[in-house]
Amino acid sequence: MAMSYAIRRLRLIGRKFGRRDPLDERVRRTLVQSLYTQPVSMAIGLLVGVVSSGIAALVTGVVILDYACVILAMIAAGRVWLSVSVSPDDPRFSTHNLERLYALGAVSYALTLGLFAALAIVFESPPGVQALTLVNAIAYGVGVCARNAGRPAIALGQLSVSALPLTAAGLWVGTIAHVSLAISILLLVGAMASIVQHLFATLRGAIGAAETSAQLAEKMQLLARTDVVTGLFNRAGLNHAMGEKLLVPPKGKLLALFWLDLDRFKEVNDILGHPVGDRVLAEVARRLRESAPEGATMARFGGDEFIMFCHVASRPECERLAGRVLDHVTRPLRIDDERLEVPCSMGIAILPEDGADADSLMQAADLALYHAKIGGKNHSRFFEHSMSRNLMRRREIEAELRAAIQRDELSIFFQPIVDLESGRIRTFEALVRWFHPEKGELKPDEFIPVAEETGVIVTLGNWITAQAARTAVHWPDDVTLAVNLSPLQIKAPGAALGILSALREAGLDPSRLELEVTERLFLDDDQATANFINELSGAGVQFALDDFGTGYSSLGSINKFPFSKIKVDRSFVSGPNVGRKSEAIIRAVAEMGARLDMEIVAEGLETVDQVRAVRASGCTLGQGYYFSRAVPDYLAAMLLAQERSPVGMRASG
Ligand code: C2E
Ligand code: CA
Ligand code: CA
């Protein structure tokens, strides 16, 4: 009964074990590994078994026991060799093979030990020898049961094959004492089966729980490093991945960091809504994945910024890769039948040339990206060391610009725009000047871009308009005021109203104000710009298209908005590239101006020859050092007074 119980239990456990549940492989591996722990205790056990069997064989003098002893010693030696030479952590050994190998040695050793003791009983060895071998076999069987509870089939197999030959021998001899011994052994096996199963369940549960929580922790960590919208890494994931890549510097390879920034993503979000925005981001991420080389790390870094980080063999390869990625990412995309353009700018920095660690590399790529953006967007720029120097100066300027207005360090100068026919001043262009207490006079080209970037331009621009208007009211009514307007000012809420109220406060008629805008304004073709221009021109304000010919020259914008003037950039008048071509361009623009009833201003006139040339080409107005530099308000007033006095100003060439 006890025997069949033990067998049933064994089967049950065996079946339970044969089943593969989700945890199985890793838990199983851990449990099998437990078989190979403590090789020293195993060796001691084996040695005790072999030595006591040897003594028993020697004392009994039965030949078969000698053979059994030799076999036992060989198996023991094999097992010791196995435990020394096989590492259970070695991935080359499958869990299955490790288990088989162990089971083979363990069961054959236990069987030989059991058979040895059974033979000692059957051959009626001296009682001391019988006791020695019996205790040896039973103690070994029970001992390994506890040791190998992690693999119950092996544990109970070992116990069974060491104990059952004894049961058989006891029944064979048949005395009451021997039969009782046989029954006790069977009961012992049954009891041990129950203990082993319990132990196994506890062990398995504990290891399973530890595994589950380890897996959970791994999953949580992965989640914490993933961007939900795109499935790419997020900032934390990027930092981690970059740290790992930088730990093992590539031999003979460079590490390149590509920083991408979608140029007009905010518009997509504002106009089409966040769900569409998210889909655009996901699509961009997909394209990035498609065009990235193998092994690249990709992340979304904040709203519409992406980073790709990978090994490259050379700079030219990096350039090709940048081109390929940018081409692929910026292909127009379709969402709900809506065709969307996704222009994108890219900054690139390379390790070790541009930075020695992750932080400096990021900084370099960020700077390169910034230059890509201000250089007209939708293209890529590699980092250059001069960018850092510019950045330092920009940072200083940024910090001081806000305070400069309050500290009265800014003032407005006026440069006349002259009628080329009569030589009379028709307009003064307001040009801002910053007299810095330490740095001296700062050029607007240096600080206006910083003001635009930081948003200070809105405050600064309003201040300039108001100041200039206050000066202009003192001029004769036929002299107008031109003020430069940056695109960012126009986009600020209430921009038109701000300008109108500045005029009202100063008491300047709106028709005496002329706003100079550049083609940059029409880069993003939005409604706010149109509203601004229409509102102000409705009130009588004039508009001039400044720096014509330098930027993105689209004749479309001339047609679209009510410009009264076009200012041909000074690079067409003076400078290294002036020649027949530029003359022809001025002539064409002047002709167009005459037809469309617009005045054409030639900028940058420095010599009398230039004045003659542009007048001959058909320009009606001129501005430049030949007439006057930008001067303070009192000098502007003097120029006007001089001109209107009977002596008059210098006549036009
Ligand atoms: P801009 O609007 O094209 O202004 C004309 C620039 O050309 C001025 O430089 C002026 O001093 C310079 N200039 C005039 N005549 C000549 C000449 O004969 N030869 C040469 N080489 N240069 C001449 P400035 O004052 O340094 O201004 C540079 C730019 O800064 C301006 O270009 C304008 O885009 C911007 N800016 C200046 N003041 C303001 C302002 O108050 N608001 C805004 N938003 N931008 C301003
Ligand atoms: Ca201007
Ligand atoms: Ca200009």
Side-chain angles (χ1 to χ4, degrees), residues 429 484 516 518 545-548 567-570 603 623:
E429 177 178 2
N484 291 287
E516 295 191 3
T518 64
L545 186 57
D546 201 359
D547 301 346
F548 184 77
K567 298 183 79 177
V568 180
D569 191 68
R570 67 171 176 269
E603 292 188 289
Q623 177 181 9

Side-chain angles (χ1 to χ4, degrees), residues 121 130 166-167 169-171 173-183:
I121 293 172
Q130 285 195 33
L166 289 171
T167 316
L171 293 174
V173 174
T175 65
I176 294 184
H178 280 95
V179 171
S180 314
L181 176 72
I183 294 171

